[in-house]
Amino acid sequence: MLVDTGLGAAPLRRNVPALRDRPVVCVTSHTHFDHIGMAVEFADKLVHPLEAPILADPANDATLFDHYAEGGRDAELFLQPPAGWDATAYRIAPAPATQTVEHADTVDPGDRRFTVLHTPGHSPGHIALWEEVTGTLIAQDVIYDGPLVTDCAGADMAAYRASMRLLSEIEPRIVHAGHFPSFGPTRFRQIIADFLDGGS
Ligand SMILES: [Zn+2]
Ligand SMILES: [Zn+2]
């Protein structure tokens, strides 16, 4: 199982040995450009129904690329842009979902079972994946150890707060996020508390 595929500046199957020569279930947490760039490389594509239309037709305005690329803000996208990078030529290939998943559905890539948590707020159809038996939360953009984005197009603060309250009911041992390093339970509780207290 692969969760999210980066912004598509480089192919994944060719460059990531673990993705070569084996079936991969590709789960899309949400359809911002920096999470769906190479979804097209994978046969099995899962996404929440609210974001399935964008995965099928990932126009640069719908994926928020236009917003981030505006005014040549490539520095926000890359520590070092890859050779030949040209923001004006950026297009994500359509990658229609082969299956949609909703809250409480199970994703079973073969030897592990993850529960889908619908966690809107950052985006309407954002999902996280929770594996209770190992205490592993794959959180992507709903919670990470850095400035959370709560004001982009499609964001909804009331929904975001509800998602944080939902997350507060689980007890992960490790949280893997869409940005910034992974973190443990203490930081997880702190980030949720800060968010709900501060309304940020
Ligand atoms: Zn995002
Ligand atoms: Zn992101």
Side-chain angles (χ1 to χ4, degrees):
M1 182 178 80
L2 171 70
V3 183
D4 294 344
T5 57
L7 59 72
L12 296 179
R13 274 217 190 257
R14 203 169 73 209
N15 290 304
V16 182
L19 297 175
R20 266 184 225 146
D21 306 325
R22 63 168 75 177
V24 175
V25 176
C26 174
V27 181
T28 289
S29 68
H30 67 303
T31 52
H32 290 163
F33 66 95
D34 54 322
H35 296 258
I36 63 168
M38 279 294 156
V40 69
E41 288 192 308
F42 302 92
D44 292 332
K45 295 179 278 293
L46 278 57
V47 71
H48 189 277
L50 287 175
E51 305 210 11
I54 299 178
L55 198 58
D57 182 15
N60 284 350
D61 56 344
T63 65
L64 303 191
F65 178 80
D66 282 350
H67 172 75
Y68 278 90
E70 211 169 73
R73 290 156 67 195
D74 288 353
E76 291 187 11
L77 303 181
F78 299 109
L79 292 173
Q80 201 172 4
W85 169 257
D86 173 8
T88 64
Y90 184 81
R91 302 284 182 278
I92 296 173
T98 51
Q99 188 187 337
T100 56
V101 286
E102 305 204 43
H103 187 71
D105 281 353
T106 298
V107 178
D108 181 351
D111 53 358
R112 302 179 69 168
R113 285 169 65 87
F114 292 84
T115 302
V116 173
L117 305 178
H118 182 212
T119 47
H122 173 77
S123 77
H126 190 287
I127 57 171
L129 295 169
W130 169 230
E131 188 182 45
E132 188 164 20
V133 66
T134 60
T136 303
L137 178 66
I138 302 175
Q140 301 314 86
D141 283 8
V142 65
I143 181 167
Y144 51 67
D145 196 2
L148 297 172
V149 176
T150 60
D151 60 354
C152 55
D156 176 335
M157 204 51 197
Y160 212 143
R161 294 175 69 82
S163 291
M164 285 294 191
R165 284 192 292 270
L166 174 80
L167 291 178
S168 74
E169 291 168 12
I170 63 172
E171 295 185 8
R173 289 175 46 229
I174 182 78
V175 182
H176 302 301
H179 303 274
F180 303 97
S182 300
F183 52 93
T186 304
R187 189 73 191 116
F188 178 71
R189 303 251 154 250
Q190 266 171 6
I191 296 169
I192 293 173
D194 289 351
F195 189 97
L196 292 175
D197 290 352
S200 62

